[in-house]
């Protein structure tokens, strides 16, 4: 497009100075015409670099998850092969579940026994209540007998021996009542110790059972998202342990993000929602249409790491570091009915963003990005 503009400018100069000779064609006009051409090109280039910024560093990013087992054990089945598309929840690996299955069975038996034991607590409380009531009635009876014996002894109709005997019986009845009330309090305390609707002993076994069931379920390792299993070197018979620095395999998520990196002074007019186009080297002759999702207004040069040391001031004699670029997150845009476009992870290319400023100049950038897409057909090497 710049060549077309420059050609039109040259044609206009030819008409004015050569064809119609409206102005003399001398050294002054020649220098002026050349200077005007350079000024025109510089103005156009500097303007489109602001209103339609371009980037030669556009990357396709995929999240990669390292699959680490939660439980240790021997691999019994590898359900996927490398570079095979799987859906979220599909089985990747299976670990021998024998010890975890037996642990679940053991805790289920304990839970049944503890549940049965907890049901007898109410019977124990009822029995303690009955014993306390009986001891209280016996105490009242002995106190009544003691009172009667004292009355008879004062009138001479009874003897002091009966008084002492009933006094001892009252002491026994009081001790029996205290013992019954203690048993009653213990039974009530055990019934009051609850976690939710369950007794504490039952809740404890249930928690252990849930943990054991979780470990049992973890022997089947599933895909965390739609994507591809990469570097599947594990085989049946391998022993896996839950260590983050020894993953079983790598999993590449299918969801992609496109990041375009721009110089720090190129993004003054870029806003979320602006249109964008990307020419990837892996897709020669094709353009991926996108929209600006957001601008990552941060880079490593602005980070101050936590440390106990005072930061050093830059040394003036040392060359300053190059200004790091800012990333723009792009979202691919496809019309209904368009076939899904496969973009490999790590694909690189060139891209352009079309802001709302000076829309007629966008045509220049569109021509440039399409020319770059066609140039991607060339494989520039001599072997």
């Amino acid at each position: 497009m710049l060549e077309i503009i420059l050609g039109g400018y040259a044609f206009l100069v030819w008409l004015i100075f050569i064809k119609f000779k409206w102005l003399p064609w001398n050294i002054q006009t020649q220098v002026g015409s050349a200077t005007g051409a350079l000024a025109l090109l510089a103005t156009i280039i500097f303007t489109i670099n602001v209103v339609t910024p371009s980037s030669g560093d556009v990357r396709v990013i995929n999240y990669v998850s390292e699959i680490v087992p939660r439980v240790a054990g021997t691999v019994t089945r590898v359900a996927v092969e490398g570079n095979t598309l799987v859906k979220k929840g599909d089985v990747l690996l299976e670990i021998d579940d024998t010890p975890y299955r037996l642990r679940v069975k053991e805790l289920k038996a304990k839970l049944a026994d503890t549940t049965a034991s907890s049901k007898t607590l109410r019977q124990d409380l009822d029995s303690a209540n009955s014993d306390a009531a009986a001891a209280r009635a016996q105490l009242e009876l002995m106190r009544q007998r003691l009172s009667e014996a004292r009355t008879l002894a004062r009138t001479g109709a009874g003897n002091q021996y009966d008084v002492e005997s009933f006094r001892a019986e009252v002491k026994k009845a009081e001790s029996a009542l205290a013992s019954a009330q203690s048993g009653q309090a213990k039974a009530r305390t055990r019934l009051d110790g609850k976690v939710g609707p369950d007794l504490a002993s039952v809740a404890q076994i249930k928690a252990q059972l849930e943990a054991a069931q979780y470990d049992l379920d973890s022997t089947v390792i599933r895909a965390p998202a739609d994507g591809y299993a990469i570097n599947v070197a594990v085989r049946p018979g391998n022993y896996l342990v839950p260590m983050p620095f020894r993953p079983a395999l790598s999993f590449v998520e299918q969801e992609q993000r496109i990041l375009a990196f721009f110089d720090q002074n190129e993004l003054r007019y870029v806003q979320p929602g602006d249109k964008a186009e990307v020419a990837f080297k892996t897709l020669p002759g094709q353009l991926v249409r996108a929209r600006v999702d957001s601008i990552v207004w941060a880079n490593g040069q602005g980070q101050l790491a936590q440390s106990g040391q005072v930061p050093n001031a830059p040394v003036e004699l040392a060359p300053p570091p190059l200004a790091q670029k800012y990333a723009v997150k792009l979202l691919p845009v496809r019309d209904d009915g368009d076939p899904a476009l496969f973009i490999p992870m790590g694909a690189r290319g060139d891209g352009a963003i079309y802001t709302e400023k000076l829309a007629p100049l966008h045509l220049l950038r569109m021509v440039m990005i399409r020319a770059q897409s066609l140039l991607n057909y060339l494989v520039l090497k001599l072997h």
Side-chain angles (χ1 to χ4, degrees):
M1 180 58 69
L2 290 178
E3 292 80 359
I4 296 175
I5 295 175
L6 186 59
Y9 178 82
F11 179 71
L12 184 61
V13 170
W14 179 79
L15 288 178
I16 295 174
F17 294 101
I18 306 300
K19 176 66 175 176
F20 298 108
K21 298 181 180 181
W22 291 337
L23 295 174
W25 183 245
N26 51 33
I27 187 63
Q28 290 83 5
T29 56
Q30 292 173 10
V31 172
S33 299
T35 304
L38 293 177
L40 177 62
L41 291 179
T43 301
I44 293 175
I45 291 174
F46 293 151
T47 303
I48 65 175
N49 283 342
V50 174
V51 299
T52 60
S54 65
S55 172
D57 187 4
V58 182
R59 312 177 190 180
V60 175
I61 307 297
N62 290 58
Y63 285 123
V64 179
S65 302
E66 293 184 343
I67 304 300
V68 179
R70 272 200 67 259
V71 295
T74 303
V75 177
T76 57
R77 176 175 172 239
V78 180
V80 296
E81 292 296 333
N83 202 32
T84 303
L85 177 64
V86 296
K87 296 296 183 181
K88 181 179 180 180
D90 288 351
V91 177
L92 301 178
L93 300 172
E94 292 183 5
I95 296 175
D96 184 14
D97 64 351
T98 301
Y100 306 101
R101 183 164 37 81
L102 294 178
R103 176 61 176 167
V104 169
K105 184 180 293 186
E106 175 188 1
L107 289 173
K108 285 182 177 179
K110 284 186 177 181
L111 178 61
D113 180 64
T114 306
T115 302
S117 298
S118 66
K119 292 180 180 179
T120 63
L121 291 179
R122 294 192 178 279
Q123 299 176 357
D124 294 341
L125 178 60
D126 293 340
S127 178
N129 291 335
S130 299
D131 292 343
R136 191 175 295 107
Q138 181 66 18
L139 176 60
E140 294 297 328
L141 177 62
M142 292 300 103
R143 285 174 176 174
Q144 181 67 26
R145 293 288 184 267
L146 176 61
S147 176
E148 294 172 351
R150 285 174 176 173
T151 302
L152 293 175
R154 282 196 298 268
T155 59
N159 54 49
Q160 189 63 28
Y161 174 80
D162 292 336
V163 173
E164 297 299 331
S165 176
F166 284 119
R167 184 179 290 118
E169 291 298 328
V170 168
K171 295 291 185 183
K172 289 182 181 179
E174 288 177 345
S175 176
L177 177 60
S179 177
Q181 288 177 338
S182 175
Q184 188 181 32
K186 288 181 180 180
R188 186 177 291 110
T189 300
R190 293 181 65 183
L191 285 174
D192 290 340
K194 290 185 176 181
V195 179
D198 299 318
L199 295 178
S201 57
V202 176
Q204 182 181 16
I205 300 299
K206 281 187 175 181
Q208 294 177 1
L209 179 59
E210 289 181 7
Q213 185 64 50
Y214 185 53
D215 289 342
L216 177 61
D217 296 339
S218 298
T219 59
V220 179
I221 302 175
R222 301 182 181 274
D226 295 349
Y228 300 85
I230 305 295
N231 191 25
V232 185
V234 64
R235 284 293 176 264
N238 292 150
Y239 190 83
L240 299 181
V241 293
M243 292 186 179
F245 52 85
R246 289 297 299 273
L249 52 90
S250 299
F251 188 85
V252 179
E253 295 186 13
Q254 191 176 20
E255 182 180 357
Q256 296 180 320
R257 288 155 180 81
I258 300 177
L259 296 181
F261 294 87
F262 292 86
D263 288 329
Q264 298 190 1
N265 59 346
E266 290 186 277
L267 301 175
R268 68 188 75 172
Y269 296 129
V270 175
Q271 298 293 332
D274 287 344
K275 296 181 180 180
E277 292 180 329
V278 182
F280 289 107
K281 294 184 180 298
T282 56
L283 302 172
Q286 300 185 51
L287 289 177
V288 176
R289 294 184 296 113
R291 287 190 178 273
V292 175
D293 175 76
S294 58
I295 303 173
V296 184
W297 290 113
N299 59 42
Q301 284 182 338
Q303 181 180 7
L304 185 61
Q306 180 180 354
S307 173
Q309 298 180 350
V310 178
N312 292 324
V315 181
E316 294 183 359
L317 298 179
L322 296 176
Q324 293 184 359
K325 298 182 178 182
Y326 288 116
V328 177
K329 181 180 177 182
L330 304 178
L331 297 179
V333 176
R334 298 187 180 92
D335 294 332
D336 294 339
D338 287 351
L341 189 63
F342 172 74
I343 308 175
M345 173 184 175
R348 302 287 290 269
D350 300 87
I353 297 176
Y354 306 108
T355 68
E356 296 181 354
K357 304 291 184 179
L358 299 177
L361 289 181
H362 295 178
L363 182 61
L364 297 175
R365 184 65 73 189
M366 291 179 180
V367 173
M368 293 178 184
I369 196 70
R370 281 158 177 76
Q372 181 62 48
S373 177
L374 295 175
L375 289 176
N376 288 337
Y377 279 110
L378 302 178
V379 181
L380 301 177
K381 62 180 183 179
L382 301 178
H383 60 86

